Amino acid sequence: MENMRTRRALVFTLLLIFWAPPALRADEGLWLFEAFPKQRLAAKYGIQLSDEFLDRLRLASLRVGASGSFVSPDGLIFTNHHVALDCLQKLSTAEQNYVVNGFWAASQADEKPCPDLEANQLVRIQDVTDRVTAAVRPDASDAEALRQRLAEIARIEKECASATGNRCDVVTLYSGGRYHLYEYKKYTDLRMVFAPETDIGFFGGDPDNFTYPRYCLDIAFLRAYENGRPARTPHYLSFSREGVKDGEVIFVSGNPGTTGRLMTVAQLEFMRDHYYPLIHRRLASLIRTLEKYSAQSKENERVAHDNLFSQQNSYKAYTGFLAGLRNPKIMELKRAEERKLRDAVEADADRRARFGGAWDAVAGAYQKFRDYYKSYWLLESSPHRGTDLLRIARDVLRLSEERLKPNDQRLREYRDSALPSLEQQLYSPAPITDSMEAAVLADYFEFLRSELGAEDAVVKAILNGRSAQQAAQEYVSTSRLKDVAERKRLAGDAEAVRRSEDGMLRLARILDGPARQLRKRYEDEVEAVLNSSAAKIAQARFAIFGQEAYPDATFTLRLTYGAVRGYKDRKGRWVPYATTFDGLYKRATGKPPYRLPKRWLEARSRLNLKTPFNFVSTADTHGGNSGSPTVNARGEIVGILFDGNIESLPNRFVYTEEQARSVHVATQGIIEALDKVYGAHRLLAELGFK
């Protein structure tokens, strides 16, 4: 009986927290710049943000792999070491390993071009909801309505791109309740300026990832060029001379990845029981393969470093997501939220008629999806995870075919508006290593066989009587797609692609027919229902609880805020807001992943060991925010976001702030390191410190 009373009290408390009036809620919100809650901020913290503040921060912020910002008028970009890691890996050779040794351009002439990195600056936002929704015929089925919306979106994007020369993306918000056109200025010539050694950039390695306290100099500087010269970037952020302070209100501008806070309970249960466990198993398998490959030689370790880091990072993230969905408290909170909304809909005849069947429609769609979600994810959604050659082969195959269709009938990623960015990736001269490609493909084939069965038609066609290792080696060794000129030739000739005996193209053709069928089925049975029914749920939420709401993240620009604040850990111990250099040296053991670079050992006596290094805040962030500038109320950079603690991962579904924290590098530590460890005086002068 006592346990029942305790449980009821807990649920009641959770409900009070979640349904508290907006002004009393925690620092929740992945806010659109065009709908930032200024009054809510002012009511809680007494800070008034001007439109000029928001415009300057938006124009200084970038999407660059994840997030970043301009920090000088000459195109200097500030982001994370792990965001720039892909570029460092591609610039490295067996003779010069910039991942291990770091990179510092002593002069502008020494700044090295990143092979395929692109930065996007959001310059204009336009609400195109009316135009997109008007394109749907009144008698259209859900599947037809989706195709009509997508066709209209393609037309809008092409008109914008043709008129401006910029990248133009129509962003779906509130599950289809709103559509906004985002126009981006593109910077495609990005060059490496500075990055520290990985031993300090990712100090603590995978064991410390998604934890706190942390001791990482997870920073990098790039530069945007235009016409061979540093870009003129008048909208930039200055570094604070004072740095971050305990209790200070900060703002984080970046591009959080997909969240599921507006998902129905049926969706969350599907993710918990089916989709995420599949992804988790796939990542675990790929990590084992890459670790085994890396252990074979120093060169293999160098080649696989970025790939292994990416998979380990994703695995730990999905571990946290699953822990959140398997937490009964969180699921009860989501059920209570849904019941409250559904009860309010049922209580009104008009709302019941408009919105009442939406939840059951979503649940029905996911019930159908259970029959083929494995095949869909493995063949269409993510077949090329960890492999460049299969991604290239599929793009060559599909681009050659999709170009023959009218723009509004193509797969979304091959529309005219998307082609410049796609082609920059597809025609990248970045090195590709056959041995790693074969190892990853063999793992993929083994995983396909274990999940779909040895008698699955696609599995049998791929292997054709061979072992997974034999098949992978044959596909890779008979491919010429490492040659950029060959990719360009084939991508413009669909007939040549169909006839080609190139090993990777043969593999891509085996996958492509079933993958396209699965994609169409998913779009017709799941995505179409979500666009219709989830949009109705969003409209019901607006009707009942008002317009002060934010949409789920879509890897587009958002603004969050919070306080710099420590917390009590799970054992009740107080964790201070900031770590220091002194803590770094005490944490260092001399062995990976707690080994310091030689120059850091030599610089210890020169450093102020009390300098703040990493810090935490209550800012509401998510994967994709890596590299986000962290600014004070004056718009000055006081840090850069690079992680969250493990308690923050369930924020994908519901925000909490008791223990969940975003983790940042403090500018005090950055300036101290650039000065006394690296002697990076040219960079410090550009940042205004010399």
Side-chain angles (χ1 to χ4, degrees):
M1 188 67 177
E2 183 63 32
N3 288 340
M4 182 63 72
R5 283 196 294 268
T6 301
R7 184 175 180 276
R8 287 173 178 168
L10 174 62
V11 172
F12 181 68
T13 301
L14 288 169
L15 289 173
L16 285 178
I17 292 170
F18 194 85
W19 293 112
L24 300 179
R25 288 180 187 167
D27 298 329
E28 177 183 356
L30 304 163
W31 299 102
L32 300 169
F33 267 76
E34 58 267 39
F36 185 77
K38 296 180 186 177
Q39 294 180 345
R40 177 174 167 172
L41 174 71
K44 181 167 184 179
Y45 288 115
I47 294 175
Q48 302 282 348
L49 286 193
S50 66
D51 289 339
E52 290 76 16
F53 178 101
L54 293 172
D55 286 344
R56 184 166 67 89
L57 184 54
R58 171 176 59 81
L59 289 166
S61 300
L62 299 169
R63 185 170 62 187
V64 50
S67 300
S69 58
F70 284 126
V71 290
S72 91
D74 295 313
L76 190 65
I77 294 172
F78 186 37
T79 188
N80 285 151
H81 178 273
H82 76 264
V83 173
L85 182 60
D86 182 67
C87 174
L88 286 170
Q89 180 91 49
K90 291 171 180 175
L91 293 176
S92 295
T93 64
E95 294 71 35
Q96 178 57 275
N97 190 338
Y98 294 121
V99 174
V100 172
N101 301 324
F103 179 88
W104 166 230
S107 69
Q108 191 181 105
D110 297 317
E111 295 174 358
K112 289 184 175 293
C114 294
D116 48 24
L117 196 57
E118 176 181 308
N120 299 146
Q121 176 191 36
L122 182 58
V123 296
R124 189 169 72 102
I125 303 166
Q126 181 183 355
D127 190 333
V128 293
T129 305
D130 290 345
R131 180 171 169 183
V132 173
T133 54
V136 178
R137 294 192 298 270
D139 59 345
S141 66
D142 284 345
E144 291 168 340
L146 175 63
R147 285 191 282 273
Q148 290 160 12
R149 279 189 290 267
L150 292 177
E152 188 61 27
I153 286 171
R155 287 188 282 271
I156 293 170
E157 291 176 343
K158 183 172 183 178
E159 290 171 9
C160 171
S162 298
T164 66
N166 290 331
R167 173 173 181 155
C168 297
D169 298 333
V170 173
V171 179
T172 302
L173 304 168
Y174 303 103
S175 306
R178 298 283 188 278
Y179 296 91
H180 287 185
L181 174 62
Y182 280 20
E183 181 186 330
Y184 296 96
K185 178 177 174 60
K186 295 180 298 183
Y187 295 89
T188 56
D189 183 357
L190 303 185
R191 306 187 190 182
M192 183 63 64
V193 176
F194 172 87
E197 307 90 333
T198 195
D199 277 348
I200 187 66
F202 193 42
F203 182 83
D206 187 58
D208 279 9
N209 196 20
F210 293 115
T211 70
Y212 193 78
R214 292 292 293 278
Y215 304 92
C216 290
L217 189 68
D218 196 347
I219 66 165
F221 291 90
L222 309 166
R223 192 181 306 280
Y225 279 69
E226 289 186 298
N227 302 315
R229 297 183 177 183
R232 301 277 76 84
T233 51
H235 303 286
Y236 67 93
L237 303 172
S238 299
F239 272 50
S240 167
R241 302 199 75 82
E242 297 177 353
V244 71
K245 300 175 183 176
D246 192 9
E248 183 175 21
V249 177
I250 51 88
F251 302 85
V252 177
S253 172
N255 302 279
T258 305
T259 55
R261 297 183 188 177
L262 300 184
M263 282 184 175
T264 67
V265 171
Q267 288 175 280
L268 295 175
E269 290 175 341
F270 178 83
M271 298 299 170
R272 179 195 65 195
D273 299 337
H274 303 285
Y275 214 54
Y276 287 176
L278 171 67
I279 298 172
H280 207 237
R281 292 194 300 273
R282 175 73 186 107
L283 290 166
S285 178
L286 184 50
I287 288 167
R288 287 192 297 270
T289 290
L290 288 170
E291 287 177 337
K292 182 179 179 180
Y293 175 84
S294 298
Q296 292 172 4
S297 71
K298 283 289 184 183
E299 178 62 6
N300 282 14
E301 183 180 15
R302 181 192 71 80
V303 167
H305 181 91
D306 182 38
N307 199 350
L308 179 57
F309 167 81
S310 176
Q311 312 312 329
Q312 288 176 328
N313 189 61
S314 295
Y315 180 82
K316 207 160 190 180
Y318 276 97
T319 300
F321 302 156
L322 279 167
L325 291 178
R326 289 168 177 168
N327 185 330
K329 297 176 185 178
I330 289 179
M331 290 304 291
E332 183 56 37
L333 182 62
K334 299 303 288 185
R335 290 188 185 96
E337 171 195 354
E338 187 167 298
R339 281 197 301 269
K340 186 177 179 72
L341 183 57
R342 294 187 73 166
D343 287 347
V345 168
E346 290 297 316
D348 181 272
D350 179 60
R351 290 174 185 159
R352 185 166 61 250
R354 292 166 60 199
F355 312 128
W359 287 269
D360 291 340
V362 171
Y366 276 88
Q367 185 65 37
K368 292 180 181 179
F369 193 31
R370 289 186 187 186
D371 294 339
Y372 60 95
Y373 75 93
K374 284 186 180 182
S375 297
Y376 171 77
W377 192 79
L378 289 168
L379 303 183
E380 169 59 26
S381 183
S382 192
H384 43 66
R385 189 172 197 109
T387 160
D388 288 322
L389 276 179
L390 183 51
R391 171 185 56 80
I392 289 167
R394 183 162 84 161
D395 279 340
V396 167
L397 171 63
R398 289 190 169 180
L399 181 57
S400 70
E401 295 178 349
E402 295 298 307
R403 273 179 164 157
L404 302 177
K405 303 175 184 177
N407 182 60
D408 61 2
Q409 295 177 25
R410 297 177 192 169
L411 297 177
R412 280 164 274 186
E413 57 270 35
Y414 302 97
R415 298 171 186 153
D416 287 342
S417 58
L419 288 185
S421 295
L422 183 141
E423 289 176 340
Q424 185 183 13
Q425 288 286 326
L426 180 57
Y427 303 140
S428 166
I432 295 172
T433 303
D434 284 359
S435 58
M436 185 174 72
E437 291 290 320
V440 170
L441 278 177
D443 178 78
Y444 173 54
F445 298 162
E446 291 279 15
F447 194 80
L448 278 178
R449 180 161 54 191
S450 68
E451 293 290 336
L452 303 183
E455 296 305 308
D456 179 85
V458 175
V459 174
K460 292 178 73 173
I462 288 173
L463 297 179
N464 194 26
R466 300 165 295 182
S467 71
Q469 290 73 22
Q470 289 170 336
Q473 184 62 40
E474 195 274 336
Y475 287 125
V476 171
S477 64
T478 58
S479 178
R480 294 180 56 204
L481 292 183
K482 287 197 296 183
D483 182 349
V484 175
E486 180 71 356
R487 296 176 213 167
K488 290 182 178 180
R489 181 184 74 81
L490 289 166
D493 188 343
E495 184 58 32
V497 172
R498 295 188 195 107
R499 295 195 314 268
S500 175
E501 288 302 309
D502 183 280
M504 292 306 299
L505 284 176
R506 285 188 282 113
L507 174 60
R509 290 199 301 265
I510 291 170
L511 292 168
D512 198 55
R516 283 179 180 266
Q517 292 173 8
L518 289 162
R519 177 168 176 159
K520 185 177 187 306
R521 186 176 177 187
Y522 173 81
E523 289 176 347
D524 289 352
E525 294 181 354
V526 181
E527 187 176 349
V529 173
L530 288 178
N531 263 253
S532 173
S533 297
K536 290 177 183 176
I537 294 171
Q539 292 160 12
R541 187 177 284 109
F542 291 147
I544 295 164
F545 300 119
Q547 293 289 326
E548 194 188 62
Y550 60 90
D552 268 323
T554 54
F555 194 48
T556 52
L557 193 63
R558 303 293 177 91
L559 181 59
T560 69
Y561 62 87
V564 177
R565 184 186 304 155
Y567 61 99
K568 286 186 178 180
D569 66 16
R570 295 173 182 178
K571 296 182 179 180
R573 299 170 299 194
W574 181 251
V575 181
Y577 85 97
T579 61
T580 64
F581 285 136
D582 184 54
L584 167 69
Y585 284 101
K586 289 178 179 177
R587 181 74 163 157
T589 65
K591 297 181 180 180
Y594 303 104
R595 176 181 59 195
L596 284 173
K598 180 181 177 182
R599 72 179 74 198
W600 277 81
L601 296 174
E602 295 172 346
R604 180 172 183 170
S605 62
R606 299 193 296 271
L607 291 167
N608 178 355
L609 297 182
K610 295 182 180 180
T611 302
F613 192 14
N614 295 169
F615 70 93
V616 288
S617 76
T618 62
D620 186 0
T621 63
H622 192 57
N625 270 119
S626 291
S628 295
T630 304
V631 304
N632 58 24
R634 296 188 296 276
E636 301 166 333
I637 291 181
V638 295
I640 185 169
L641 186 138
F642 73 95
D643 205 2
N645 61 4
I646 199 74
E647 293 87 351
S648 73
L649 289 173
N651 282 1
R652 186 180 182 102
F653 311 106
V654 56
Y655 174 84
T656 62
E657 78 164 32
E658 183 179 349
Q659 292 181 320
R661 290 293 183 273
S662 293
V663 186
H664 317 249
V665 189
T667 53
Q668 295 103 309
I670 295 169
I671 299 304
E672 183 82 352
L674 290 176
D675 184 18
K676 297 179 182 177
V677 179
Y678 295 99
H681 300 134
R682 182 174 77 93
L683 181 55
L684 285 167
E686 189 166 0
L687 295 173
F689 284 84
K690 287 290 181 180

